[in-house]
Structure formats: structure tokens, C-alpha cells
Amino acid sequence: MTHLQAGLSPETLEKAKVELKENPDTLHQDIQEVRDMIITRPDIGFLRTDDAFILRFLRARKFNHFEAFRLLAQYFEYRQQNLDMFKNLKPTDPGIKQALKDGFPGVLSNLDRYGRKILVLFAANWDQSRYTFVDILRAILLSLEAMIEDPELQVNGFVLIIDWSNFTFKQASKLTPSMLRLAIEGLQDSFPARFGGIHFVNQPWYIHALYTVIRPFLKDKTRKRIFMHGNNLNSLHQLIHPEILPSELGGMLPPYDMGTWARTLLDHAYDEEPEYSPESYTLSVKDLEKDLSPKTMKRSQSVVEPGVLKRPEKVKSEEENLQPLLSLD
């Protein structure tokens, strides 16, 4: 075991070896091979290239050198292309702070049976008069940056649960295709995290419609990890034990305190009131609300017209809604 693996438990070391093909004898060579590829992308400013940083990208792509480098390049390229979004990426940023205090994201204290950290989002908590969807995305990315420092989570990964209870059609109408695509690019294509499952619960019909918009931009691997549970929490509990879930998700724990994770990141700054309005945010929300580019439109128009939520002619039966879209591999 090298010093780069010092933070891993014996069980996680074995998991890294079996699932990720992580070999302590070749670890430094693997890292160097990824680092050597940086010269091929002079258009990107690679702001960090130390061993520990590159290692998280190798783990995220099961030590496929090329795929790990592509993820590393996309990580920095995404930040170059969205400079305003990463300005003042701190918990005390007013928009981020408001989102964190409303539980975007919530982080459960217990890990699941596979050692994964569980993130929860209660969608109806989004106060659209106080912060934007981009603020929520920034808060999630900031939180992941903090958690991915833990080598255990680099190997074991994360689970995301989104509860759509009481999420209104008016709130959903603010989720434009461009905004959703920005989130997909930031989380799926440009961040070194392993997501073992994405669970939707209590989703209304218009969330199914939104899913048809974003589905073309999801990788097959991501689609396999998305589960639509509807109001059948028993199917959720088959995958995540209720002993570690809050009561809102049918679990045995008390209701989730939305400020739990925010207090962890903000510490003494939690109770300080920020002065913020969505209009003051430097990133142009208008740009995000524009229709997708012609190229993207071509990919998605056969599914659902961008920016339009259409009620399906026939809503799936409850039994169909309770089944995962694809089995978790």
C-alpha cells in the first residue's frame, strides 16, 4: 500500500482492487500516464495536477487512463466555459448559502451498505424568490468537492435521492432544458464522483416529461442507475435500508434537519443573514433559459419540444412507475 491509499480501510482497499483495478504497485505509473497526456490539450488550463488529485479521476473511471484524462480535461474545461458559475464558490456566497440552508443538498450521516454517502434533495424546498437553480447546482458541486476529498468516497461513491413531493408545475417550469443540461455536464461529464444510484420518489407526471428531455444527454451507465419509485417507498427500501433514512422517505430516523450539512460547511457563518436576490447574480440566467443550440435541438426535438412540458396521453401504470428504468449494475 502506498501513501496515496493510506486513508482506505482494508475492505475499501480490496474493493478498489477488485472493482476499480487499482494496483498499488503501478499506482504512480498510472498517475504519470494520465499527467503525460496534459500536453495534448494546450487549450485547457490544468490548475491542479498533483498525484492525489489525478488519482480521484482514475478511480472514477476504473483506471482507464484515457477515460480518466478525458474526465480530468472536462473538469477544467467545464470551469473555463462557465467562469461566472465558479466565482466565489464558497459556502458563504449568498446564493449558495441560501440553497445549503434549504437542504440543497442534504447529506445523511449514515452510509449505505456499500459504503456510499447518501445525498437527499427535497425539491419542493426550492425558494425561487431567493436563489436560482444555478445556485443549487453550485451548492451541490461545492459539497461534492468537499466530500470527494475523502478517499473512501472516491472508491465507494454516492447515492442521490430526490423527493418530488409537493414540487409544483410552476416550480418545474423553471427547469429549462439548458439548465438541466448544464447540471448534467457538471455532474455526469465533468466531476470525478461515482454515483451508484439516482432515486426519484413521489415524482408527478411533469417530472417524467422533464426526464424525457434530459434522457438523450445521459450516458447508458447513468440511465442504468436511475430508478423511478413513484409513491412506492418499499421499492426504495429494497435498495436503501429504511434504518438509515429519515421519516420523510419512509425511514426509521427522525425528519431530516435541512440545515445539517449547511452547518458543517458554514460553521459560525450559518446564522449570519446574507443580502441576496437572484437578479444580482453575475451569471446570466437569460443565457441559460435560451433554447438549446440547433445541434442539441436536433438530438432532443424528437423526444419533447424544449421548454414545453406536455401531459402524456397515457400516464404509466403505478406498477410501471415503480420499476427501475434499468437494473443497477
Side-chain angles (χ1 to χ4, degrees):
M1 182 176 71
T2 74
H3 72 281
L4 292 169
Q5 297 178 311
L8 300 180
S9 67
E11 295 79 12
T12 307
L13 274 172
E14 181 63 19
K15 184 175 185 178
K17 178 181 177 181
V18 174
E19 291 189 15
L20 308 184
K21 303 178 180 66
E22 184 169 327
N23 184 347
D25 296 331
T26 62
L27 201 54
H28 289 284
Q29 180 182 339
D30 293 327
I31 291 170
Q32 190 58 46
E33 288 202 27
V34 173
R35 187 183 287 116
D36 288 344
M37 297 182 194
I38 290 175
I39 194 173
T40 67
R41 293 298 306 272
D43 57 311
I44 297 177
F46 292 87
L47 303 180
R48 185 177 171 187
T49 59
D50 56 278
D51 288 358
F53 187 72
I54 292 178
L55 178 56
R56 66 185 64 173
F57 291 87
L58 280 163
R59 286 171 171 162
R61 291 297 181 263
K62 296 186 176 181
F63 279 76
N64 180 311
H65 297 158
F66 177 76
E67 291 299 327
F69 173 72
R70 184 160 69 172
L71 180 61
L72 176 68
Q74 288 172 172
Y75 174 91
F76 286 111
E77 188 173 26
Y78 182 76
R79 280 149 182 76
Q80 285 183 193
Q81 293 173 348
N82 301 284
L83 286 174
D84 286 337
M85 200 170 86
F86 290 93
K87 287 180 180 177
N88 198 36
L89 192 70
K90 301 175 182 178
T92 52
D93 174 86
I96 292 176
K97 183 175 181 178
Q98 292 287 2
L100 287 171
K101 292 179 76 170
D102 279 352
F104 294 106
V107 180
L108 301 188
S109 57
N110 294 309
L111 304 174
D112 76 354
R113 53 185 156 173
Y114 301 109
R116 299 178 297 205
K117 181 67 77 174
I118 302 172
L119 278 63
V120 292
L121 302 177
F122 295 93
N125 284 3
W126 180 14
D127 186 345
Q128 296 177 342
S129 68
R130 304 185 74 189
Y131 50 90
T132 68
F133 176 78
V134 177
D135 290 317
I136 293 176
L137 177 57
R138 297 173 79 221
I140 292 172
L141 287 170
L142 175 67
S143 298
L144 287 172
E145 289 283 3
M147 288 184 280
I148 205 64
E149 293 289 333
D150 184 347
E152 287 277 325
L153 295 181
Q154 294 173 18
V155 175
N156 293 322
F158 302 85
V159 172
L160 176 63
I161 304 174
I162 306 178
D163 185 354
W164 298 98
S165 300
N166 303 314
F167 188 72
T168 66
F169 184 90
K170 182 178 179 180
Q171 286 175 304
S173 67
K174 299 293 185 180
L175 297 174
T176 66
S178 295
M179 288 182 177
L180 294 171
R181 188 181 180 196
L182 182 72
I184 292 169
E185 290 175 348
L187 296 170
Q188 171 189 260
D189 302 325
S190 309
F191 197 87
R194 305 183 68 210
F195 282 96
I198 302 170
H199 302 270
F200 285 16
V201 298
N202 300 312
Q203 70 277 5
W205 67 266
Y206 39 86
I207 296 304
H208 283 279
L210 279 173
Y211 178 73
T212 63
V213 173
I214 67 173
R215 198 173 190 276
F217 308 113
L218 299 176
K219 296 176 181 178
D220 289 340
K221 186 177 180 180
T222 302
R223 293 174 190 168
K224 291 179 182 180
R225 286 165 167 75
I226 296 179
F227 293 78
M228 298 284 194
H229 298 280
N231 59 6
N232 182 5
L233 295 180
N234 287 331
S235 66
L236 173 68
H237 297 162
Q238 290 174 10
L239 298 170
I240 304 176
H241 292 163
E243 289 84 357
I244 63 173
L245 294 175
S247 59
E248 298 96 324
L249 299 172
M252 299 180 182
L253 298 180
Y256 182 70
D257 179 354
M258 299 301 166
T260 301
W261 178 245
R263 291 188 189 95
T264 300
L265 290 181
L266 287 161
D267 197 14
H268 300 299
Y270 180 86
D271 294 320
E272 297 174 2
E273 285 298 323
E275 296 180 2
Y276 174 79
S277 66
E279 291 77 13
S280 68
Y281 187 50
T282 55
L283 180 65
S284 174
V285 176
K286 288 184 179 180
D287 288 342
L288 289 173
E289 290 178 342
K290 291 178 182 177
D291 286 341
L292 302 179
S293 66
K295 181 179 180 181
T296 305
M297 285 280 288
K298 186 176 181 181
R299 293 178 59 188
S300 63
Q301 64 188 359
S302 61
V303 185
V304 173
E305 183 181 351
V308 178
L309 294 179
K310 297 182 179 180
R311 182 181 293 276
E313 294 181 5
K314 179 181 178 183
V315 179
K316 290 185 178 180
S317 67
E318 183 177 7
E319 290 77 12
E320 290 175 311
N321 285 335
L322 298 181
Q323 296 298 321
L325 299 177
L326 289 171
S327 61
L328 181 65
D329 62 21

Coordinates of all heavy atoms in Angstrom, one line a residue, residues 145-219:
E145 N -17.2 18.7 -3.9 CA -15.8 19.0 -3.8 C -15.3 18.7 -2.4 O -14.2 18.2 -2.2 CB -15.5 20.4 -4.2 CG -15.7 20.8 -5.7 CD -14.5 20.3 -6.6 OE1 -13.6 19.7 -6.0 OE2 -14.5 20.6 -7.8
A146 N -16.1 19.1 -1.4 CA -15.7 18.8 0.0 C -15.6 17.3 0.3 O -14.7 16.8 0.9 CB -16.6 19.6 0.9
M147 N -16.6 16.6 -0.2 CA -16.8 15.2 0.2 C -15.8 14.3 -0.6 O -15.3 13.3 -0.1 CB -18.2 14.7 0.0 CG -19.2 15.3 1.0 SD -20.8 14.6 0.9 CE -21.5 15.7 -0.4
I148 N -15.5 14.7 -1.8 CA -14.6 13.9 -2.6 C -13.2 13.9 -2.1 O -12.3 13.1 -2.6 CB -14.7 14.3 -4.1 CG1 -14.3 13.1 -5.1 CG2 -13.8 15.4 -4.4 CD1 -15.3 11.9 -5.0
E149 N -12.8 14.7 -1.2 CA -11.5 14.7 -0.6 C -11.3 13.4 0.2 O -10.2 13.0 0.5 CB -11.3 15.9 0.4 CG -11.3 17.3 -0.3 CD -10.0 17.4 -1.1 OE1 -9.0 16.8 -0.7 OE2 -10.0 18.2 -2.1
D150 N -12.4 12.8 0.6 CA -12.4 11.5 1.4 C -12.1 10.4 0.4 O -12.9 10.1 -0.5 CB -13.7 11.3 2.1 CG -13.7 10.1 3.0 OD1 -12.8 9.2 2.9 OD2 -14.7 9.9 3.7
P151 N -10.9 9.7 0.5 CA -10.6 8.6 -0.4 C -11.6 7.5 -0.3 O -11.8 6.8 -1.3 CB -9.2 8.2 0.1 CG -9.1 8.7 1.5 CD -9.9 9.9 1.5
E152 N -12.3 7.3 0.8 CA -13.3 6.2 0.9 C -14.4 6.5 -0.1 O -14.9 5.6 -0.7 CB -13.8 6.1 2.3 CG -12.9 5.5 3.3 CD -12.9 4.0 3.3 OE1 -14.0 3.4 3.1 OE2 -11.8 3.4 3.5
L153 N -14.8 7.8 -0.2 CA -15.9 8.1 -1.1 C -15.4 8.1 -2.5 O -16.3 7.9 -3.4 CB -16.5 9.5 -0.7 CG -17.2 9.5 0.7 CD1 -17.7 10.9 1.0 CD2 -18.3 8.4 0.8
Q154 N -14.2 8.3 -2.8 CA -13.7 8.2 -4.1 C -13.9 6.8 -4.7 O -14.1 6.6 -5.8 CB -12.2 8.6 -4.2 CG -11.9 10.0 -3.9 CD -10.4 10.3 -3.8 OE1 -9.6 9.5 -4.2 NE2 -10.0 11.4 -3.1
V155 N -13.7 5.8 -3.8 CA -13.9 4.4 -4.2 C -15.3 4.0 -4.1 O -15.9 3.4 -5.0 CB -13.0 3.5 -3.3 CG1 -13.3 2.1 -3.6 CG2 -11.5 3.9 -3.5
N156 N -16.0 4.3 -3.0 CA -17.4 3.8 -2.8 C -18.4 4.6 -3.5 O -19.4 4.1 -3.9 CB -17.6 3.8 -1.3 CG -16.8 2.7 -0.6 OD1 -16.5 1.7 -1.1 ND2 -16.3 3.1 0.6
G157 N -18.3 6.0 -3.6 CA -19.2 6.8 -4.3 C -20.4 7.3 -3.5 O -20.3 7.4 -2.3
F158 N -21.4 7.7 -4.3 CA -22.5 8.4 -3.7 C -23.8 7.8 -4.2 O -23.9 7.1 -5.2 CB -22.5 9.9 -4.1 CG -21.3 10.6 -3.7 CD1 -20.1 10.6 -4.5 CD2 -21.2 11.3 -2.5 CE1 -19.0 11.2 -4.1 CE2 -20.1 12.0 -2.1 CZ -18.9 12.0 -2.9
V159 N -24.9 8.1 -3.5 CA -26.3 7.8 -3.9 C -27.1 9.1 -3.8 O -26.9 9.8 -2.8 CB -26.9 6.7 -3.0 CG1 -28.4 6.5 -3.3 CG2 -26.2 5.4 -3.2
L160 N -27.9 9.4 -4.7 CA -28.7 10.6 -4.7 C -30.2 10.2 -4.7 O -30.7 9.4 -5.5 CB -28.4 11.4 -6.0 CG -29.3 12.7 -6.1 CD1 -29.0 13.7 -5.0 CD2 -29.0 13.4 -7.5
I161 N -30.9 10.8 -3.7 CA -32.4 10.6 -3.6 C -33.1 12.0 -3.8 O -32.7 12.9 -3.1 CB -32.8 10.0 -2.3 CG1 -32.1 8.7 -2.0 CG2 -34.3 9.8 -2.2 CD1 -32.3 8.1 -0.6
I162 N -34.0 12.1 -4.8 CA -34.7 13.3 -5.0 C -36.2 13.0 -4.7 O -36.8 12.2 -5.3 CB -34.5 13.8 -6.4 CG1 -33.1 14.0 -6.8 CG2 -35.3 15.2 -6.6 CD1 -32.8 14.4 -8.2
D163 N -36.7 13.7 -3.7 CA -38.1 13.6 -3.3 C -38.9 14.8 -3.9 O -38.6 15.9 -3.6 CB -38.2 13.6 -1.8 CG -39.7 13.4 -1.3 OD1 -40.6 13.3 -2.2 OD2 -39.9 13.3 -0.1
W164 N -39.8 14.4 -4.8 CA -40.5 15.5 -5.6 C -41.9 15.8 -5.0 O -42.7 16.5 -5.6 CB -40.7 15.0 -7.0 CG -39.5 14.8 -7.8 CD1 -38.8 13.6 -8.0 CD2 -38.7 15.8 -8.4 NE1 -37.7 13.8 -8.8 CE2 -37.6 15.1 -9.1 CE3 -38.8 17.1 -8.6 CZ2 -36.6 15.8 -9.8 CZ3 -37.8 17.8 -9.3 CH2 -36.7 17.1 -9.9
S165 N -42.1 15.4 -3.7 CA -43.4 15.7 -3.1 C -43.6 17.2 -3.0 O -42.7 17.9 -2.7 CB -43.3 15.1 -1.6 OG -43.1 13.8 -1.6
N166 N -44.8 17.6 -3.4 CA -45.3 19.0 -3.4 C -44.5 19.9 -4.3 O -44.6 21.1 -4.2 CB -45.3 19.5 -2.0 CG -46.1 18.7 -1.0 OD1 -47.2 18.3 -1.3 ND2 -45.6 18.3 0.2
F167 N -43.7 19.3 -5.2 CA -43.0 20.1 -6.2 C -44.0 20.5 -7.3 O -44.5 19.7 -8.0 CB -41.8 19.3 -6.8 CG -40.9 20.2 -7.7 CD1 -40.1 21.1 -7.1 CD2 -40.9 20.0 -9.0 CE1 -39.2 21.8 -7.9 CE2 -40.0 20.7 -9.8 CZ -39.2 21.7 -9.3
T168 N -44.3 21.8 -7.4 CA -45.4 22.3 -8.3 C -45.0 22.4 -9.7 O -43.8 22.4 -10.1 CB -45.8 23.6 -7.8 OG1 -44.8 24.6 -8.0 CG2 -46.2 23.6 -6.3
F169 N -46.0 22.4 -10.6 CA -45.8 22.6 -12.0 C -45.1 23.9 -12.3 O -44.2 24.0 -13.1 CB -47.1 22.5 -12.8 CG -46.9 22.6 -14.3 CD1 -46.8 21.4 -15.0 CD2 -46.9 23.8 -14.9 CE1 -46.6 21.5 -16.4 CE2 -46.8 23.9 -16.3 CZ -46.7 22.7 -17.0
K170 N -45.4 24.9 -11.5 CA -44.8 26.3 -11.6 C -43.3 26.2 -11.3 O -42.5 26.8 -12.0 CB -45.5 27.3 -10.7 CG -44.9 28.7 -10.8 CD -45.7 29.6 -9.9 CE -45.1 31.0 -10.0 NZ -45.8 32.0 -9.1
Q171 N -42.9 25.5 -10.3 CA -41.5 25.3 -10.0 C -40.8 24.5 -11.1 O -39.7 24.9 -11.5 CB -41.4 24.5 -8.7 CG -41.7 25.4 -7.4 CD -41.6 24.5 -6.2 OE1 -42.3 23.5 -6.0 NE2 -40.7 24.9 -5.2
A172 N -41.5 23.5 -11.6 CA -40.9 22.7 -12.7 C -40.7 23.4 -13.9 O -39.7 23.2 -14.7 CB -41.8 21.4 -12.9
S173 N -41.6 24.4 -14.2 CA -41.4 25.2 -15.4 C -40.2 26.0 -15.5 O -39.8 26.5 -16.5 CB -42.7 26.1 -15.6 OG -42.7 27.1 -14.6
K174 N -39.5 26.2 -14.3 CA -38.3 27.0 -14.3 C -37.1 26.1 -14.7 O -36.0 26.6 -14.9 CB -38.0 27.5 -12.9 CG -39.1 28.5 -12.4 CD -39.1 29.8 -13.2 CE -40.1 30.8 -12.6 NZ -40.1 32.0 -13.4
L175 N -37.3 24.8 -14.8 CA -36.2 23.9 -15.1 C -36.1 23.8 -16.6 O -36.7 22.8 -17.2 CB -36.4 22.5 -14.5 CG -36.4 22.5 -12.9 CD1 -36.8 21.1 -12.4 CD2 -35.1 22.9 -12.4
T176 N -35.5 24.7 -17.3 CA -35.4 24.7 -18.7 C -34.4 23.6 -19.2 O -33.5 23.2 -18.4 CB -34.9 26.1 -19.2 OG1 -33.6 26.3 -18.8 CG2 -35.8 27.2 -18.7
P177 N -34.5 23.2 -20.4 CA -33.5 22.2 -20.9 C -32.1 22.6 -20.8 O -31.2 21.8 -20.5 CB -34.0 22.0 -22.4 CG -35.4 22.4 -22.4 CD -35.6 23.4 -21.4
S178 N -31.8 23.9 -21.0 CA -30.4 24.4 -21.0 C -29.9 24.3 -19.5 O -28.7 24.0 -19.3 CB -30.3 25.8 -21.5 OG -30.7 25.9 -22.8
M179 N -30.7 24.6 -18.6 CA -30.3 24.5 -17.2 C -30.0 23.0 -16.8 O -29.0 22.7 -16.1 CB -31.4 25.1 -16.2 CG -31.5 26.6 -16.3 SD -32.7 27.2 -15.1 CE -32.5 28.9 -15.3
L180 N -30.9 22.2 -17.2 CA -30.8 20.7 -16.9 C -29.5 20.2 -17.6 O -28.8 19.4 -17.0 CB -32.0 20.0 -17.3 CG -33.3 20.3 -16.6 CD1 -34.5 19.6 -17.2 CD2 -33.2 19.9 -15.1
R181 N -29.3 20.7 -18.8 CA -28.1 20.2 -19.5 C -26.8 20.7 -18.8 O -25.8 19.9 -18.7 CB -28.1 20.6 -20.9 CG -27.0 20.0 -21.8 CD -27.0 20.5 -23.2 NE -25.9 19.9 -23.9 CZ -25.5 20.3 -25.1 NH1 -26.0 21.3 -25.7 NH2 -24.5 19.7 -25.7
L182 N -26.8 21.9 -18.3 CA -25.7 22.4 -17.5 C -25.4 21.5 -16.3 O -24.2 21.3 -16.0 CB -26.0 23.9 -17.1 CG -24.9 24.6 -16.3 CD1 -23.8 25.0 -17.3 CD2 -25.5 25.8 -15.6
A183 N -26.5 21.1 -15.6 CA -26.3 20.2 -14.5 C -25.7 18.9 -14.9 O -24.8 18.3 -14.2 CB -27.6 20.0 -13.8
I184 N -26.2 18.3 -16.0 CA -25.7 17.0 -16.4 C -24.3 17.1 -16.8 O -23.5 16.2 -16.5 CB -26.6 16.5 -17.7 CG1 -28.0 16.2 -17.2 CG2 -25.9 15.3 -18.3 CD1 -29.0 16.0 -18.3
E185 N -23.9 18.2 -17.5 CA -22.5 18.3 -17.9 C -21.6 18.5 -16.7 O -20.5 18.0 -16.7 CB -22.3 19.5 -18.8 CG -23.0 19.3 -20.2 CD -22.9 20.6 -21.1 OE1 -22.6 21.7 -20.5 OE2 -23.2 20.5 -22.3
G186 N -22.1 19.1 -15.7 CA -21.3 19.4 -14.5 C -21.1 18.1 -13.6 O -20.1 17.9 -13.0
L187 N -22.2 17.3 -13.5 CA -22.2 16.2 -12.6 C -21.8 14.9 -13.3 O -21.0 14.1 -12.7 CB -23.6 16.1 -11.9 CG -24.0 17.3 -11.1 CD1 -25.4 17.1 -10.7 CD2 -23.1 17.3 -9.8
Q188 N -22.4 14.7 -14.5 CA -22.1 13.4 -15.1 C -20.8 13.4 -15.9 O -20.0 12.4 -15.8 CB -23.2 13.1 -16.1 CG -23.0 11.9 -17.0 CD -24.0 11.7 -18.1 OE1 -24.9 10.9 -18.0 NE2 -23.9 12.5 -19.2
D189 N -20.5 14.5 -16.6 CA -19.4 14.5 -17.6 C -18.1 15.2 -17.0 O -17.1 15.0 -17.6 CB -19.8 15.2 -18.8 CG -21.0 14.6 -19.5 OD1 -21.2 13.4 -19.4 OD2 -21.9 15.3 -20.0
S190 N -18.2 15.9 -15.9 CA -17.1 16.7 -15.5 C -16.7 16.7 -14.1 O -16.0 17.5 -13.6 CB -17.4 18.2 -15.9 OG -17.8 18.3 -17.2
F191 N -17.2 15.6 -13.4 CA -16.8 15.5 -11.9 C -16.5 14.1 -11.6 O -17.2 13.2 -12.0 CB -18.0 16.0 -11.0 CG -17.5 16.3 -9.6 CD1 -17.1 17.6 -9.3 CD2 -17.6 15.3 -8.7 CE1 -16.6 17.8 -8.0 CE2 -17.1 15.6 -7.4 CZ -16.6 16.8 -7.1
P192 N -15.4 13.9 -10.8 CA -14.9 12.6 -10.6 C -15.6 11.9 -9.4 O -15.0 11.5 -8.4 CB -13.4 12.8 -10.2 CG -13.4 14.2 -9.6 CD -14.5 15.0 -10.3
A193 N -16.9 11.7 -9.5 CA -17.6 11.1 -8.5 C -18.3 9.8 -9.1 O -18.8 9.9 -10.2 CB -18.7 12.0 -7.9
R194 N -18.4 8.8 -8.3 CA -19.1 7.6 -8.7 C -20.5 7.6 -8.1 O -20.7 7.6 -6.9 CB -18.4 6.3 -8.3 CG -16.9 6.3 -8.7 CD -16.3 5.0 -8.3 NE -16.9 3.8 -9.0 CZ -17.0 2.6 -8.5 NH1 -16.6 2.4 -7.2 NH2 -17.5 1.6 -9.2
F195 N -21.5 7.7 -9.0 CA -22.9 7.6 -8.5 C -23.5 6.2 -8.7 O -23.7 5.8 -9.8 CB -23.8 8.7 -9.2 CG -23.6 10.1 -8.7 CD1 -22.7 10.9 -9.4 CD2 -24.2 10.5 -7.6 CE1 -22.5 12.2 -8.9 CE2 -24.0 11.8 -7.1 CZ -23.1 12.7 -7.8
G196 N -23.7 5.6 -7.5 CA -24.2 4.2 -7.6 C -25.7 4.1 -7.8 O -26.2 3.1 -8.2
G197 N -26.5 5.2 -7.6 CA -27.9 5.2 -7.8 C -28.5 6.6 -7.7 O -28.0 7.4 -6.9
I198 N -29.5 6.9 -8.6 CA -30.2 8.1 -8.5 C -31.7 7.7 -8.4 O -32.2 7.1 -9.3 CB -29.9 9.0 -9.8 CG1 -28.4 9.2 -9.9 CG2 -30.7 10.3 -9.7 CD1 -28.1 9.9 -11.3
H199 N -32.3 8.1 -7.3 CA -33.6 7.6 -7.0 C -34.6 8.8 -7.0 O -34.4 9.8 -6.3 CB -33.6 6.9 -5.6 CG -32.7 5.7 -5.6 ND1 -33.1 4.5 -5.9 CD2 -31.4 5.7 -5.2 CE1 -32.0 3.6 -5.7 NE2 -31.0 4.4 -5.3
F200 N -35.7 8.7 -7.8 CA -36.8 9.6 -7.8 C -37.9 9.0 -7.0 O -38.3 7.9 -7.2 CB -37.3 9.9 -9.2 CG -36.4 10.7 -10.1 CD1 -35.0 11.0 -9.7 CD2 -36.8 11.3 -11.2 CE1 -34.2 11.8 -10.5 CE2 -36.0 12.1 -12.0 CZ -34.7 12.3 -11.7
V201 N -38.5 9.8 -6.0 CA -39.6 9.3 -5.3 C -40.7 10.4 -5.4 O -40.4 11.6 -5.4 CB -39.3 9.0 -3.8 CG1 -38.3 7.8 -3.8 CG2 -38.8 10.2 -3.1
N202 N -42.0 10.0 -5.4 CA -43.1 10.8 -5.4 C -43.1 11.8 -6.6 O -43.5 13.0 -6.4 CB -43.2 11.6 -4.1 CG -43.4 10.7 -2.9 OD1 -44.2 9.7 -2.9 ND2 -42.6 10.9 -1.9
Q203 N -42.6 11.4 -7.7 CA -42.5 12.3 -8.9 C -43.8 12.4 -9.6 O -44.5 11.4 -9.9 CB -41.4 11.8 -9.8 CG -41.7 10.6 -10.6 CD -41.4 9.3 -9.8 OE1 -41.0 9.3 -8.7 NE2 -41.5 8.1 -10.5
P204 N -44.3 13.6 -9.9 CA -45.5 13.8 -10.7 C -45.2 13.6 -12.2 O -44.1 13.4 -12.6 CB -45.9 15.3 -10.4 CG -44.6 15.9 -10.1 CD -43.7 14.9 -9.4
W205 N -46.3 13.7 -13.0 CA -46.2 13.4 -14.4 C -45.2 14.3 -15.1 O -44.5 13.9 -16.0 CB -47.5 13.4 -15.1 CG -48.2 14.8 -15.2 CD1 -49.1 15.3 -14.3 CD2 -47.9 15.7 -16.2 NE1 -49.4 16.6 -14.7 CE2 -48.7 16.9 -15.9 CE3 -47.1 15.8 -17.3 CZ2 -48.7 18.0 -16.6 CZ3 -47.1 17.0 -18.1 CH2 -47.9 18.1 -17.8
Y206 N -45.2 15.6 -14.7 CA -44.3 16.5 -15.4 C -42.8 16.3 -15.1 O -42.0 16.8 -15.9 CB -44.7 18.0 -15.1 CG -45.1 18.3 -13.7 CD1 -44.2 18.7 -12.7 CD2 -46.5 18.3 -13.3 CE1 -44.6 19.0 -11.4 CE2 -46.9 18.6 -12.0 CZ -45.9 18.9 -11.1 OH -46.3 19.2 -9.8
I207 N -42.5 15.6 -14.1 CA -41.1 15.2 -13.9 C -40.7 14.1 -14.8 O -39.6 14.0 -15.4 CB -40.9 14.8 -12.4 CG1 -41.1 16.0 -11.5 CG2 -39.4 14.2 -12.2 CD1 -40.3 17.2 -11.8
H208 N -41.7 13.2 -15.1 CA -41.4 12.2 -16.2 C -41.2 12.9 -17.5 O -40.3 12.5 -18.3 CB -42.6 11.2 -16.3 CG -42.7 10.2 -15.2 ND1 -42.0 9.1 -15.3 CD2 -43.4 10.2 -14.1 CE1 -42.2 8.3 -14.2 NE2 -43.1 9.0 -13.4
A209 N -42.0 14.0 -17.8 CA -41.8 14.7 -19.0 C -40.4 15.4 -19.1 O -39.8 15.3 -20.1 CB -42.9 15.8 -19.2
L210 N -40.0 15.9 -18.0 CA -38.6 16.5 -17.9 C -37.6 15.4 -18.2 O -36.5 15.7 -18.8 CB -38.4 17.2 -16.6 CG -39.0 18.6 -16.4 CD1 -38.8 19.1 -15.0 CD2 -38.3 19.6 -17.4
Y211 N -37.8 14.3 -17.6 CA -36.8 13.2 -17.8 C -36.7 12.9 -19.3 O -35.5 12.6 -19.8 CB -37.2 12.0 -17.0 CG -36.2 10.8 -17.2 CD1 -35.0 10.9 -16.6 CD2 -36.5 9.7 -18.0 CE1 -34.0 9.9 -16.8 CE2 -35.6 8.7 -18.2 CZ -34.4 8.8 -17.6 OH -33.5 7.8 -17.9
T212 N -37.7 12.9 -20.0 CA -37.6 12.6 -21.5 C -36.8 13.7 -22.2 O -36.2 13.4 -23.2 CB -39.0 12.5 -22.2 OG1 -39.7 13.8 -22.1 CG2 -39.9 11.4 -21.5
V213 N -36.7 14.9 -21.6 CA -35.9 15.9 -22.2 C -34.4 15.7 -22.0 O -33.6 15.8 -22.9 CB -36.3 17.3 -21.6 CG1 -35.3 18.4 -22.1 CG2 -37.7 17.7 -22.0
I214 N -34.1 15.3 -20.8 CA -32.7 15.1 -20.5 C -32.2 13.7 -20.8 O -30.9 13.5 -20.9 CB -32.4 15.3 -19.0 CG1 -33.1 14.3 -18.1 CG2 -32.9 16.7 -18.6 CD1 -32.7 14.4 -16.6
R215 N -33.0 12.8 -21.1 CA -32.6 11.4 -21.3 C -31.6 11.3 -22.4 O -30.6 10.5 -22.3 CB -33.8 10.5 -21.6 CG -33.5 9.0 -21.4 CD -34.7 8.1 -21.5 NE -34.5 6.8 -21.1 CZ -34.0 5.8 -21.9 NH1 -33.7 6.2 -23.2 NH2 -33.7 4.6 -21.5
P216 N -31.7 12.0 -23.6 CA -30.7 11.9 -24.7 C -29.3 12.3 -24.2 O -28.4 11.9 -24.9 CB -31.3 12.8 -25.7 CG -32.7 12.9 -25.5 CD -32.8 12.9 -24.0
F217 N -29.2 13.1 -23.2 CA -27.9 13.6 -22.8 C -27.3 12.7 -21.7 O -26.1 13.0 -21.2 CB -28.0 15.0 -22.3 CG -28.6 15.9 -23.3 CD1 -29.9 16.5 -23.0 CD2 -28.1 16.2 -24.5 CE1 -30.5 17.3 -23.9 CE2 -28.7 17.0 -25.4 CZ -29.9 17.5 -25.1
L218 N -28.0 11.7 -21.3 CA -27.5 10.8 -20.2 C -26.7 9.6 -20.8 O -27.2 9.0 -21.8 CB -28.6 10.2 -19.4 CG -29.4 11.3 -18.6 CD1 -30.6 10.6 -17.9 CD2 -28.6 12.1 -17.6
K219 N -25.6 9.2 -20.2 CA -24.9 8.1 -20.7 C -25.7 6.8 -20.3 O -26.4 6.8 -19.3 CB -23.5 8.0 -20.1 CG -22.6 9.2 -20.5 CD -21.3 9.1 -19.7 CE -20.4 10.3 -20.1 NZ -19.1 10.3 -19.3

